Amino acid sequence: MMGFFAEAGPVQIFVSNHLIPDDMEFQSGDMPNYTTSDGSVKIQKDSEVRLKIIGTRVDATEIV
């Protein structure tokens, strides 16, 4: 897994594995997710996350 996609309004955002905290591991299965080593935090589909945008790219038809 290389990361996950999130949405902020109409913008789709890719969150790379390199930017996910080191204490979180990807768990595959029926509901793939990132979970902390102690299980207290889980990021899965429909979770709300706080993002820090570190780069953007503007294309002729979209913002990436």
Side-chain angles (χ1 to χ4, degrees):
M1 186 73 158
M2 297 180 69
F4 64 90
F5 284 95
E7 295 177 352
V11 179
Q12 188 176 50
I13 301 165
F14 179 72
V15 180
S16 170
N17 270 345
H18 300 294
L19 301 173
I20 295 173
D22 291 335
D23 69 333
M24 298 196 88
E25 276 189 34
F26 180 72
Q27 307 291 322
S28 61
D30 292 341
M31 180 66 81
N33 63 72
Y34 284 89
T35 306
T36 55
S37 54
D38 65 1
S40 63
V41 178
K42 185 182 287 188
I43 300 172
Q44 61 189 20
K45 185 176 180 180
D46 296 327
S47 292
E48 292 185 12
V49 295
R50 180 185 282 179
L51 301 173
K52 176 182 178 184
I53 298 177
I54 59 168
T56 60
R57 183 178 78 221
V58 178
D59 198 337
T61 59
E62 62 184 349
I63 299 174
V64 181

